[in-house]
Amino acid sequence: MYLDHEEEDYNLSLSKFESMLKTNKVLFFDSEEFEEIILHYLDTGKSNLAKKALKFGLEQHPKSTGLKLVQVEMLIYEDKLEIAEKLLNELYAIEPTNEEIFIQKANIYSKRDNHEKAVELLNEALQFTEDFSDIYNLIGMEYLFMDNLELAKSNFIKCLEEDIEDQSAIYNVVYCFEFLDQNEAAIDYLKKYIDKNPYSEIAWHQKGRLYYGLKEYENAVRAFEFATYIDDEFVGAFMEKGKALERLKRYEEAIESFAKTIELDDPTSYALLRIGKCNEKLGYKAEALIYYNKTVHEDPLLDKGWIAITDFYIRQKKYSKALHYANKALAIDDQNQAYWKRFATINKAMGLFEEAEYGFRKAVELGDCQLDTWLFWVDILQYLGEFDNAVLTLLQAADYFPEEYEIEYRLAGLNFMLKENEKGTFHLSNGLRLNFKNNTLLEELFPKVWAMKKVQSYIVKHKH
């Protein structure tokens, strides 16, 4: 592969400059060479070398506006805004039509959160520039900072009208459409854009993402497919295509697509997990298990991996295996509510009620607010004969789920068991009011209470 002349010259300049630093011989460079050397060091994070190059550059070219503007950029980067502003004012007095001066002034105002002023200065820069796309892009970014998504969007669109290949502007336009909840309009925009630039894999990929968001999975697959035809190493498009195929229950094809991402790049735990899920859906249990194990090996902190492997064994009713993995997951992260809920569910299935009670309690303490978690917990407390605790827990749950008949019937039953007949009647009345036809829940959970004459007559009375 041959380097073009420009790149060759650029590499020569760099090695010439670095040998100058080593030998302490002062060599001459023109000002543009210095600019390129400095920007190279800034881009690669070598700010000390950039400063040295700037120092030599200004010694050799003390009047170079280009170098002084690079100096301004470095000052702004270091938050030395006052010094940068002073230097820009001096430059403006010499070159009042230099667009870069307006751009850097706008940069300073942007850093000070005065985005309106930044936009004003960028609009002035438009009068003196030949590179409109860059400035429209910067104006779009300022409007993003101001949360004015409509104006941001129209500037990113202008940017793409000037430079159809600007990839960051495509992402930004789509971001604005999505944020404004205009997904269909975004698809229409991308259709027109693709008519002009049919080989933009980014546009096809974004179109696929939008279709996926609208649950139009067939269209999404087609769009992702085009993205992969244009760039057959586009990992993101293969990943998204796999997700859409999985939604369409085309599991074999989905596996192929996820596998392609692993072939092109390092395997991600997400791709391994999805391949596992697809295999399980196809009934290939041994394959599924291999991929679930690979998932947790690849990323032990990904809770979805541990949950998949634990749920796999729960579905097989292989509870001791499931418990083994739930415990492994908890050893890595004992603050994960989903792990504790599974730990509890497995122990409950194995008849280990004290461990199950502890698991449900931990899940709730760590923020699990699902109704079934509270109810499982309470039913176990009742089974263990801890009626008072069960009542307190239900009252707590009622704060999250007011007007929930399953809570009211349980409170009724527990209060009658505790001989708190008045409270029992109050909650029974609430349960009957909220859902009369499910009053048999009381019979299911509290057969002794259900058999009480006063309870039966109260239900009959309520019915009439």
Side-chain angles (χ1 to χ4, degrees):
M1 190 178 132
Y2 296 100
L3 294 173
D4 61 25
H5 287 309
E6 271 183 32
E7 201 165 334
E8 232 169 77
D9 292 347
Y10 170 63
N11 287 340
L12 275 172
S13 301
L14 267 179
S15 50
K16 185 174 139 189
F17 179 74
E18 284 175 12
S19 74
M20 177 180 102
L21 291 179
K22 283 173 195 157
T23 58
N24 285 330
K25 279 184 190 168
V26 177
L27 303 171
F28 182 82
F29 298 82
D30 69 35
S31 63
E32 281 185 8
E33 274 183 292
F34 270 123
E35 280 179 49
E36 282 186 356
I37 291 166
I38 296 162
L39 291 172
H40 166 78
Y41 287 135
L42 284 178
D43 286 344
T44 51
K46 297 174 180 171
S47 59
N48 282 343
L49 285 172
K51 282 178 186 171
K52 278 183 188 170
L54 179 65
K55 182 177 170 288
F56 282 119
L58 286 170
E59 281 167 6
Q60 290 186 15
H61 306 280
K63 289 196 161 66
S64 162
T65 306
L67 283 171
K68 284 180 180 171
L69 281 165
V70 172
Q71 186 181 10
V72 165
E73 215 170 305
M74 285 169 74
L75 288 165
I76 293 172
Y77 179 74
E78 292 170 350
D79 265 336
K80 297 176 179 170
L81 303 184
E82 279 73 19
I83 308 169
E85 199 165 24
K86 189 168 174 286
L87 189 48
L88 279 172
N89 290 334
E90 288 166 16
L91 289 172
Y92 178 72
I94 305 161
E95 288 190 29
T97 61
N98 186 327
E99 69 192 91
E100 196 58 37
I101 294 170
F102 292 98
I103 290 170
Q104 293 304 338
K105 276 194 170 190
N107 199 353
I108 290 172
Y109 278 102
S110 184
K111 279 231 168 191
R112 289 174 176 157
D113 285 335
N114 188 345
H115 302 294
E116 288 89 346
K117 183 67 181 170
V119 167
E120 209 178 289
L121 286 157
L122 289 167
N123 277 317
E124 282 188 62
L126 282 172
Q127 298 168 44
F128 308 113
T129 190
E130 286 173 14
D131 190 358
F132 292 99
S133 67
D134 245 13
I135 292 173
Y136 283 129
N137 206 359
L138 291 169
I139 294 173
M141 292 309 291
E142 292 303 320
Y143 279 121
L144 274 188
F145 293 136
M146 290 190 262
D147 290 330
N148 190 332
L149 277 291
E150 279 294 351
L151 281 174
K153 181 179 77 180
S154 63
N155 277 283
F156 292 131
I157 288 172
K158 284 179 190 171
C159 165
L160 284 166
E161 283 163 3
E162 295 293 332
D163 175 9
I164 202 161
E165 298 292 345
D166 189 322
Q167 295 189 349
S168 71
I170 300 174
Y171 285 117
N172 286 330
V173 165
V174 173
Y175 170 79
C176 293
F177 273 115
E178 281 188 286
F179 195 89
L180 293 161
D181 222 6
Q182 301 170 348
N183 290 29
E184 267 117 348
I187 290 171
D188 290 339
Y189 173 77
L190 286 173
K191 280 178 184 167
K192 288 175 195 146
Y193 174 87
I194 287 167
D195 285 343
K196 291 184 208 154
N197 189 11
Y199 295 104
S200 165
E201 71 276 23
I202 304 292
W204 281 109
H205 173 253
Q206 292 297 299
K207 193 176 168 192
R209 274 187 57 257
L210 290 157
Y211 275 130
Y212 186 91
L214 293 168
K215 297 188 169 57
E216 294 184 31
Y217 302 121
E218 296 278 4
N219 284 332
V221 168
R222 266 196 297 278
F224 293 133
E225 224 149 54
F226 276 114
T228 61
Y229 294 153
I230 298 160
D231 176 359
D232 60 3
E233 293 187 357
F234 193 162
V235 175
F238 281 110
M239 188 74 87
E240 303 277 354
K241 182 182 156 192
K243 282 166 63 180
L245 286 163
E246 194 180 345
R247 292 283 188 175
L248 291 165
K249 299 186 168 52
R250 286 156 62 180
Y251 299 118
E252 303 269 8
E253 292 167 80
I255 289 170
E256 264 175 56
S257 211
F258 291 128
K260 187 75 180 169
T261 70
I262 293 169
E263 186 189 309
L264 290 169
D265 205 351
D266 292 335
T268 63
S269 53
Y270 183 80
L272 294 165
L273 175 65
R274 295 318 324 155
I275 293 174
K277 293 261 188 194
C278 290
N279 272 302
E280 193 178 349
K281 289 270 172 38
L282 289 163
Y284 307 147
K285 288 174 185 166
E287 278 292 300
L289 205 47
I290 289 166
Y291 278 97
Y292 291 150
N293 276 305
K294 283 182 180 178
T295 304
V296 293
H297 178 74
E298 184 64 38
D299 181 3
L301 295 177
L302 180 79
D303 59 358
K304 287 189 176 78
W306 292 107
I307 288 167
I309 208 165
T310 308
D311 287 354
F312 175 83
Y313 281 118
I314 292 173
R315 281 193 286 277
Q316 310 285 309
K317 296 192 167 45
K318 293 181 179 171
Y319 296 119
S320 45
K321 282 259 189 182
L323 189 58
H324 167 73
Y325 282 101
N327 282 326
K328 268 186 129 173
L330 284 166
I332 292 167
D333 177 10
D334 65 355
Q335 297 298 298
N336 188 310
Q337 49 174 278
Y339 294 168
W340 281 112
K341 184 167 181 173
R342 278 159 180 82
F343 171 85
T345 306
I346 297 160
N347 277 298
K348 178 171 171 259
M350 292 169 85
L352 303 169
F353 294 107
E354 285 184 8
E355 288 86 344
E357 186 276 324
Y358 180 68
F360 286 125
R361 175 156 33 104
K362 287 291 288 182
V364 168
E365 278 170 14
L366 291 166
D368 183 331
C369 287
Q370 290 178 303
L371 179 63
D372 69 340
T373 312
W374 287 93
L375 298 180
F376 284 140
W377 182 19
V378 167
D379 292 348
I380 285 174
L381 285 169
Q382 182 203 331
Y383 179 85
L384 293 170
E386 295 186 31
F387 298 154
D388 289 314
N389 276 343
V391 168
L392 290 172
T393 303
L394 280 169
L395 291 171
Q396 229 180 315
D399 290 341
Y400 293 97
F401 303 98
E403 304 284 287
E404 180 52 67
Y405 76 91
E406 294 204 53
I407 291 175
E408 293 299 334
Y409 280 128
R410 279 172 173 80
L411 279 168
L414 287 162
N415 276 298
F416 280 121
M417 297 286 279
L418 290 163
K419 309 272 188 291
E420 298 274 2
N421 292 348
E422 207 175 307
K423 288 179 183 172
T425 307
F426 170 75
H427 289 293
L428 177 58
S429 144
N430 281 345
L432 295 166
R433 173 177 58 81
L434 292 167
N435 189 325
F436 182 83
K437 75 174 189 320
N438 277 14
N439 62 44
T440 49
L441 189 63
L442 199 60
E443 181 183 14
E444 218 175 282
L445 295 169
F446 304 95
K448 284 182 186 165
V449 171
W450 176 259
M452 289 162 72
K453 274 185 186 162
K454 60 179 153 215
V455 169
Q456 280 305 318
S457 65
Y458 195 85
I459 292 171
V460 170
K461 192 173 131 195
H462 192 279
K463 188 178 181 180
H464 297 305

